[in-house]
Amino acid sequence: MRASRCLLAIVLAWLPVVAWACDLAPLPIVGGIGKLHGVSVSFGEADDALHPTAWQGPLRIAQGSAPACVVDDEVAIVEQPVMLGDGILYVPTYSGSNNRLYAVDTGNCRVLWHSGDFNGPTRFVHGRFVIGREQVQLDRRCRPVGMAKGMD
């Protein structure tokens, strides 16, 4: 009986976190194109035709029958994991040893937010991005929490 109460307390404690979670999904990229939830993204030329790990850009985003838009060319040399949720595309990029994470509006290709420069890979773990030594929490609308820098 006591174990049941502890389990119930844990579930109730996590309920607000789960209810407010952003539903991001990895965007699979095949042949330089990523498609998910009615969004199609062209990533441009790959670094390796058989086993790509990065794409040069420019990123072109199309949704439904709307005309495609092009993301600012500062969002270039894209690597995985590219994530999509609630109309926002999260795009990790690098140039030399500097990495940056961008949040792009899939409806108009505007950069909504970007991280500062960091070193190391971008990882998506337990509903948040890990970039360098920082963690980027997301709100239920898939926007960064507590990182207003660059956010529209």
Side-chain angles (χ1 to χ4, degrees), residues 39-122:
V39 175
S40 177
V41 182
S42 172
F43 287 88
E45 186 177 339
D47 62 345
D48 181 307
L50 295 177
H51 305 288
T53 59
W55 296 264
Q56 185 65 40
L59 273 64
R60 295 182 188 282
I61 302 175
Q63 292 188 89
S65 62
C69 58
V70 178
V71 178
D72 189 298
D73 62 1
E74 76 180 270
V75 183
I77 312 181
V78 174
E79 59 186 349
Q80 293 282 17
V82 176
M83 306 290 288
L84 177 66
D86 201 19
I88 298 178
L89 185 70
Y90 279 91
V91 183
T93 67
Y94 70 90
S95 178
S97 63
N98 291 323
N99 299 67
R100 192 176 264 193
L101 178 63
Y102 290 88
V104 177
D105 185 318
T106 60
N108 59 22
C109 290
R110 282 186 0 173
V111 172
L112 298 173
W113 171 88
H114 63 81
S115 70
D117 290 341
F118 62 93
N119 293 317
T122 299

Side-chain angles (χ1 to χ4, degrees), residues 21-36:
C22 165
D23 188 22
L24 278 185
L27 183 71
I29 303 171
V30 178
I33 306 283
K35 293 182 180 181
L36 187 66

